[in-house]
Amino acid sequence: MVKISDFAVESWMDAYEHHCKYNVAETCCSSLTLDQLRELSEDKTTDILKTDRVLTYGAIRGAEALRSNLARLYSAKVLTPLDPSNILTTPGAIQANYLVAYSLVGEGDHVICQYPTYQSLYSVPQSLGAEVDLWKASPEKKWIPDLEELKALIKPNTKLIVINNPNNPTGAVMGKTFLEQLVEIASEKNITILADEVYRPIFHSLSPIDKDFPPSLLSMGYKNVVVTGSMSKAYSLAGIRVGWIASRNSEIVETIASARHYTTISVSGLDEQVAAYALSPATVHGLLARNIQLAKTNLALLEKFVIKNEDECEWVKPVAGTTAFIKFHREGKPVDSVDFCKKLLEKTGVLFVPGSQSFGEEFKGYVRIGFVNQTDVVQKGLEEASKFVRKNLDDIDLAA
């Protein structure tokens, strides 16, 4: 029997996200209705959903319109356009990441995974029998892992290097120069890189004109790259359950497509219609502008919260994505983040995610905050959290 570890962060959200007053744990940019999506679009006449469509399985590898829109986005500012045939759609990025591991690694293989990150990126390869080493980052280095440490982790049987860029939970970003060096290291050993880019392109604190602005890893010139993405995070449409896998290596695409038959068959054609509309040239720019501005506005609120409570918490300010990793302490000692989050929820209705339970025991005192929900929810939630810190922090257990 496959050994499956408890998916800690999802278990926490499953238990509490529908029982809170202020969800400041949500990692999606504030979700939209179809009516709101249309309002953001320059195209107000096209039907988002074609109700006369016959509900067959549809396009097995993904709807043509959706794959074409994705290919266009990945082809921007690159010399070699990406063909839509190099993209497969999936029910969310979580299935995309699962399929990559399921297709490419197994018993006897070695995987290196950036850490901290979303648990499935390392737990799924482990469940498939692969040996996994964690490529650890630290706040002292702004949550960017060390490339020399990566070289030391590589073994003769290393099959896959996994990164999450922008990163969940820290909001850190590997820049262009770093990615170029990463590709050089991987290419020397012909190691495939999986880049989970679900928080791309919410670069709220980076400018596109910055010389080190990070491109998608798909555009770095290395063939053995697989990227995954989703409509959930940057595009505010988690409810349609659409993700994707893209690679310039057609052999990798075909290998994953073959495995995909066992797990997916196809993605909901109705969901893909919505995704295609959202990623169309008439809509995607307005949608992203809305979400990047929302991230900037709410990050300013979160920064004020950290400054107000600077004697009790510390952080590395995130530069992209929707999450921040904040450490709470009392008299220099980290609090028990599970006790902190449970008592915070009980007394205020504010939901945070405990880092020590959801991202690794070594992250004592850390909580993950999702700050790109509706501004009023984030603002009120942080106000309540500040009151809690002032009045109740002495009642929180310290980390063991």
Side-chain angles (χ1 to χ4, degrees):
M1 181 177 177
V2 174
K3 186 180 186 303
I4 301 175
S5 302
D6 178 56
F7 201 158
V9 69
E10 295 300 341
S11 293
W12 179 269
M13 294 299 288
D14 181 42
Y16 298 113
E17 70 175 321
H18 296 296
H19 305 283
C20 65
K21 189 174 182 181
Y22 307 105
N23 189 341
V24 197
E26 176 59 67
T27 57
C28 302
C29 291
S30 180
S31 296
L32 294 167
T33 66
L34 294 185
D35 289 341
Q36 289 170 328
L37 180 64
R38 187 188 300 280
E39 284 302 308
L40 288 168
S41 178
E42 297 172 5
D43 179 5
K44 303 288 197 294
T45 59
T46 299
D47 290 333
I48 297 178
L49 284 173
K50 300 186 186 305
T51 56
D52 61 347
R53 170 193 164 128
V54 177
L55 297 178
T56 66
Y57 281 109
I60 298 302
R61 294 193 177 198
E64 180 180 349
L66 174 55
R67 295 165 84 196
S68 294
N69 283 340
L70 284 165
R72 176 180 49 79
L73 292 172
Y74 280 118
S75 298
K77 299 181 181 180
V78 297
L79 296 176
T80 307
L82 181 70
D83 193 281
S85 66
N86 286 77
I87 299 171
L88 303 169
T89 63
T90 59
I94 194 162
Q95 172 73 316
N97 289 326
Y98 183 92
L99 269 172
V100 174
Y102 179 69
S103 306
L104 301 184
V105 304
E107 194 168 346
D109 292 326
H110 177 240
V111 174
I112 299 170
C113 185
Q114 177 187 358
Y115 182 83
T117 192
Y118 194 55
Q119 183 183 335
S120 67
L121 292 174
Y122 51 88
S123 286
V124 169
Q126 286 175 330
S127 74
L128 296 169
E131 177 191 1
V132 177
D133 275 321
L134 301 176
W135 182 24
K136 296 185 176 183
S138 68
E140 290 77 19
K141 295 184 178 180
K142 297 185 177 181
W143 296 114
I144 303 299
D146 188 280
L147 288 164
E148 292 302 316
E149 292 178 9
L150 173 65
K151 292 178 184 178
L153 289 173
I154 292 175
K155 300 180 179 181
N157 62 335
T158 301
K159 193 76 172 289
L160 192 67
I161 297 171
V162 183
I163 65 171
N164 175 207
N165 197 40
N167 178 256
N168 169 18
T170 66
V173 168
M174 299 171 176
K176 181 180 180 181
T177 302
F178 186 99
L179 294 174
E180 289 172 341
Q181 294 173 319
L182 171 62
V183 163
E184 183 179 352
I185 292 168
S187 61
E188 287 177 358
K189 304 289 186 179
N190 202 36
I191 301 169
T192 299
I193 307 173
L194 165 61
D196 177 335
E197 296 181 345
V198 297
Y199 293 96
R200 181 181 180 82
I202 303 299
F203 296 110
H204 47 71
S205 302
L206 293 173
S207 170
I209 63 173
D210 186 329
K211 66 177 182 179
D212 208 34
F213 188 83
S216 168
L217 201 70
L218 205 61
S219 64
M220 301 294 290
Y222 182 43
K223 190 175 183 180
N224 293 335
V225 162
V226 184
V227 303
T228 56
S230 168
M231 297 304 299
S232 300
K233 309 301 182 183
Y235 299 102
S236 300
L237 295 170
I240 63 172
R241 306 310 302 132
V242 174
W244 57 86
I245 298 165
S247 176
R248 292 184 180 273
N249 187 326
S250 296
E251 291 183 10
I252 289 177
V253 172
E254 291 305 313
T255 297
I256 296 172
S258 179
R260 182 176 173 278
H261 290 313
Y262 285 98
T263 64
T264 303
I265 301 181
S266 65
V267 175
S268 161
L270 299 178
D271 289 351
E272 289 190 332
Q273 283 185 52
V274 179
Y277 179 89
L279 297 181
S280 67
T283 309
V284 68
H285 304 295
L287 175 56
L288 287 175
R290 176 255 193 189
N291 287 349
I292 291 171
Q293 184 55 53
L294 184 64
K296 289 180 177 180
T297 298
N298 292 0
L299 181 60
L301 296 174
L302 184 57
E303 186 168 26
K304 288 180 181 178
F305 169 83
V306 173
I307 292 170
K308 179 183 286 189
N309 299 286
E310 62 183 355
D311 290 337
E312 293 82 25
C313 71
E314 59 191 77
W315 71 339
V316 177
K317 185 179 176 181
V319 296
T322 68
T323 61
F325 214 33
I326 298 180
K327 185 178 183 180
F328 286 87
H329 45 74
R330 191 172 75 237
E331 298 177 358
K333 298 177 182 179
V335 301
D336 181 318
S337 63
V338 175
D339 189 52
F340 178 91
C341 289
K342 285 184 176 180
K343 288 177 178 173
L344 174 69
L345 179 63
E346 178 186 344
K347 291 184 177 295
T348 70
V350 175
L351 182 64
F352 290 169
V353 171
S356 60
Q357 176 174 300
S358 301
F359 294 96
E361 293 180 357
E362 63 264 52
F363 300 112
K364 299 181 187 300
Y366 279 94
V367 303
R368 187 190 71 182
I369 293 177
F371 61 88
V372 196
N373 208 333
Q374 299 100 316
T375 297
D376 59 335
V377 171
V378 173
Q379 183 172 18
K380 187 62 176 176
L382 292 177
E383 289 172 356
E384 292 298 316
S386 277
K387 295 175 186 176
F388 175 83
V389 169
R390 289 198 302 272
K391 295 179 180 179
N392 301 105
L393 194 65
D394 285 344
D395 299 328
I396 304 300
D397 295 339
L398 294 176

